[in-house]
Structure formats: structure tokens, C-alpha cells
Amino acid sequence: MTTPWEKQEYLDSVAWAKKSKAGELEVKPCISVWMDVCGFGSALEKCAWDLVELQKCGMLELLSTIYQRAGHPFLVGVEPMPYESILIINDGISRTVDLDKPEYANCVPFVFYLRDLFFAHRTLVELTNSKG
């Protein structure tokens, strides 16, 4: 049986931490975006961090709707082509597209990708405004 500190994920984490401390991380050109669900923090405080209350006031439904509309990849590719990585954290969506191999990046999909990012952000604003 493998112990947690013998797993590859842990070993990769330790290697990354060592490189970070030594200033040896490889920096890659990229497009990074953070989409925030505005007002979620104040809704949490208003509901005293009670998930049942958040459910009753529709906040969890709002988050579900947002993730369905904006939590999926807008740019899909197969390596070595650029593709999008997404991380959803509570009330935000983090997106990154690495551009370390520009010879495989086509400008037309990136124009549509940037357009989709703006539309997704506008959708988030409209959804959060509709919930007050």
C-alpha cells in the first residue's frame, strides 16, 4: 500500500515547492482569467455562513447556474495545441491557457476565445444583478 507521501501528486508538490523557493520555476506565456461571482461574500455573511440559508435565498442555485454557463472550457485542444485549464473555487472561476508553443496557436480561435470570455463575464454580471 502506498502512503500519502509516496504518491506522485505529493512528490510533484514537493518538487514544485523546492523549485519555487529556489526561483527556478519555468515561466510560460499564458492567458489567465479570474471570474468572480460578485456579492457572494456578503451573501455568506448575511446568511451567517449557513448553507441551508444560502439554499433558501437562491445563492446555491445561482452558483450552479453560473458554473453551468461559465465553468466549462471555451478553448479545447489536444497537445501540443493550446487548451484551457479551469479551476473553480467557491465563488470564482480561474482559467489559464498556456502559450509556450506559439507555433501551434491559431489566432482565429483565440479571437473567439477572448470574445467568449467577455460574454461569460457579462453573463455573470447579469446573473448576479438579477439575484440582487
Side-chain angles (χ1 to χ4, degrees):
M1 184 168 172
T2 306
T3 62
W5 52 88
E6 294 174 313
K7 293 190 176 198
Q8 191 60 47
E9 183 178 337
Y10 174 78
L11 296 173
D12 291 345
S13 172
V14 170
W16 190 89
K18 285 180 182 177
K19 284 182 179 181
S20 174
K21 189 173 184 177
E24 297 173 350
L25 289 175
E26 180 184 352
V27 178
K28 297 179 181 179
C30 67
I31 297 173
S32 295
V33 177
W34 174 261
M35 295 178 171
D36 187 54
V37 180
C38 301
F40 185 72
S42 59
L44 276 172
E45 289 178 18
K46 182 179 176 183
C47 293
W49 292 74
D50 185 334
L51 296 179
V52 173
E53 288 300 315
L54 281 173
Q55 177 72 28
K56 287 179 185 176
C57 75
M59 187 57 64
L60 297 182
E61 177 188 0
L62 172 64
L63 288 176
S64 176
T65 302
I66 286 169
Y67 298 148
Q68 288 172 18
R69 293 192 186 171
H72 58 85
F74 297 155
L75 183 66
V76 180
V78 178
E79 284 194 68
M81 293 172 52
Y83 61 94
E84 186 176 30
S85 298
I86 300 173
L87 176 64
I88 296 176
I89 305 172
N90 295 331
D91 66 332
I93 303 168
S94 172
R95 320 173 82 88
T96 300
V97 177
D98 290 340
L99 299 173
D100 58 331
K101 296 179 183 168
E103 65 272 22
Y104 294 105
N106 183 326
C107 67
V108 173
F110 278 98
V111 169
F112 286 109
Y113 175 71
L114 294 173
R115 179 206 63 181
D116 291 345
L117 290 174
F118 285 111
F119 285 155
H121 179 71
R122 193 177 95 203
T123 298
L124 293 184
V125 170
E126 289 171 358
L127 283 169
T128 55
N129 285 341
S130 73
K131 293 290 184 178

